[in-house]
Amino acid sequence: MPDQTVCEVCGKDLDTAERGRPRRFCSHACRTRAYRSRLSGKATESRGTGSGARSSTGNRAPEGGDRSGAPHLTAERIARAGIALADAEGLDALSMRRVAAELGASTMALYRHVASKEDLVALMVEAALTEVPLPDTPPKDWRHGLERAARRDWELYHRHPWILSKVLVTTRTHSSRALAADSEHAFSAFDGLGLDPADAFRYMFMFASYVQGVALTHVSDVEAERQARRAGRSTANGTDDARRSLYQPGAYPRLGPAMRAGADPWDLDALFFSGLAGVLDGIAADLARRGIA
């Protein structure tokens, strides 16, 4: 058994991750609460140490603030507040009014820094993508480069499930400098192979489609849990009961044993990395078939 660590928020025991970064939280909800706590602490510190207190003898706007009495606002602070809200409640809950309330500002004060909700989401995507700097060392080989990119994306979708819908591989390219930089770095895994651009795209499409496809399963689970909490019910009991009826020996002689062996208990991280190895094996086989190292 791996050594036990505890969640930094609720103290619940959790297993040490065998791969990737050590786990710090037991759930997405605890991760979000910790993030929002840090955000609130920074906002309090800013208000306490700055010169933003309104004078009791006049109506002059506070230095660094605005005439509405809002705390010092920047596009970055607004984006970070939007991220915290979307992490906790999903993009459906995001609005300029909600973000303004989180910051203790008027809605109009936000519009002095962010033109619209669409622009706010774009800023949030940029901020989230640049939270973790891209590796500053070249990969050992193409496989290591793609594994590194997959791990970075997988962790991103766990930190911010809402972002997946904004960075999905589609026929309509998203206009984002951070996303372009991220993709450019992933393509650099193929440096030195002499691939035609079309072949590099084909491999990257296969790779990204797999990573984002499995991530959709995670995001769907997060959203189902969120909706269950809103309705005041638990998803676990109903799901477990449905599984038991489907996995009964003999009920479904192929499905039942496979699901009991591979998804009981459900370990999406293990399934993700196992499937990733298969995708990379497929690319390696195709490269070998074409005589490319």
Side-chain angles (χ1 to χ4, degrees), residues 158-206:
H158 277 67
R159 287 196 306 275
H160 308 300
W162 57 268
I163 202 174
L164 180 59
S165 65
K166 300 302 177 183
V167 299
L168 277 172
V169 175
T170 69
T171 55
R172 297 183 178 184
T173 303
H174 299 283
S175 57
S176 164
R177 290 184 179 275
L179 184 57
D182 195 82
S183 299
E184 175 74 11
H185 193 274
F187 271 102
S188 72
F190 298 131
D191 286 356
L193 294 183
L195 291 179
D196 291 335
D199 288 328
F201 175 83
R202 181 167 57 87
Y203 291 140
M204 190 58 67
F205 180 81
M206 181 192 312

Side-chain angles (χ1 to χ4, degrees), residues 142-143 203 206-207 210 274-284:
W142 69 266
R143 187 170 188 130
Y203 291 140
M206 181 192 312
F207 164 79
Y210 169 77
S274 175
L276 175 65
V279 171
L280 299 182
D281 285 347
I283 294 176

